[in-house]
């Protein structure tokens, strides 16, 4: 049989990977793709495809993103899947609002919501202007070691 129409089952698995915080963000707590965006696999066994978690949440709760637009994270936290924090905008607007340059340095939290403070922040020796989150680095290490 065709299981395409069984979407109500999918959100249970999806929402088990989401955690809300005091800022109103709904953080994706599973796999992250480039840029810190949530990554979600679903589909039939053997044909599972990777999907952007924020796009899935928006589409499921709000509806499809209008043609020619893409979702901009108003909260500037790519791991957030809260549709209220997502706005469909043209690509050029999304780029202008993006996380590059000065905006990147003004961030107070990493993509998973951990604070960039004295204790939790490190700077890479090979890229001294690039900050890293100690908690994320530790979590990623544990995840890697469990898989190996």
């Amino acid at each position: 049989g065709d299981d395409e129409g069984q979407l109500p089952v999918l959100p249970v698995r999806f929402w088990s990977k989401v955690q809300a915080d005091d800022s109103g963000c709904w953080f994706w707590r599973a796999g992250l793709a480039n840029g810190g965006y949530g990554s979600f696999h679903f589909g039939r066994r053997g044909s599972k495809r990777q999907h952007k978690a924020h796009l899935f949440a928006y589409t499921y709760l709000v509806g499809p993103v209008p043609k020619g637009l893409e979702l901009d994270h108003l909260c500037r936290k790519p791991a957030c899947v809260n549709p209220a924090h997502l706005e469909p905008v043209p690509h050029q607007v999304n780029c202008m609002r993006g996380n590059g340059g000065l905006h990147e340095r003004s961030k107070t939290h990493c993509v998973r919501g951990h604070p960039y403070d004295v204790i939790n922040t490190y700077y890479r020796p090979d890229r001294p202007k690039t900050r890293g989150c100690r908690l994320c680095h530790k979590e990623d290490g544990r995840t890697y070691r469990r898989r190996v």
Side-chain angles (χ1 to χ4, degrees):
D2 188 7
D3 61 0
E4 293 290 328
Q6 295 183 2
L7 275 180
V9 174
L10 187 57
V12 173
R13 193 176 119 238
F14 180 88
W15 296 121
S16 71
K17 301 170 188 313
V18 175
Q19 181 179 11
D21 76 358
D22 294 338
S23 73
C25 284
W26 302 351
F27 286 106
W28 184 253
R29 296 294 182 194
L32 297 178
N34 289 343
Y37 295 95
S39 176
F40 186 61
H41 290 82
F42 67 91
R44 289 186 180 166
R45 195 169 290 234
S47 65
K48 288 187 178 187
R49 294 185 348 199
Q50 183 174 346
H51 297 271
K52 295 176 180 173
H54 67 286
L55 180 59
F56 174 84
Y58 187 91
T59 303
Y60 189 80
L61 296 171
V62 177
V65 176
K67 189 172 181 92
L69 302 181
E70 56 191 46
L71 294 176
D72 178 27
H73 283 82
L74 300 174
C75 60
R76 296 288 162 247
K77 297 173 185 169
C80 178
V81 299
N82 183 346
H85 292 190
L86 302 169
E87 179 185 12
V89 297
H91 178 71
Q92 186 177 8
V93 171
N94 197 11
C95 289
M96 287 182 347
R97 293 178 178 176
N99 283 340
L102 289 174
H103 182 77
E104 185 66 29
R105 291 189 291 279
S106 68
K107 284 185 181 179
T108 60
H109 291 75
C110 75
V111 296
R112 292 182 180 155
H114 303 129
Y116 279 133
D117 58 19
V118 175
I119 295 169
N120 188 46
T121 306
Y122 71 90
Y123 294 87
R124 292 177 42 176
D126 58 330
R127 293 170 63 193
K129 292 183 180 178
T130 303
R131 293 182 295 185
C133 171
R134 291 183 192 280
L135 290 171
C136 285
H137 187 71
K138 209 182 279 189
E139 287 175 17
D140 291 345
R142 279 192 288 260
T143 301
Y144 175 77
R145 285 188 295 278
R146 277 194 298 261
R147 291 181 184 164
V148 174

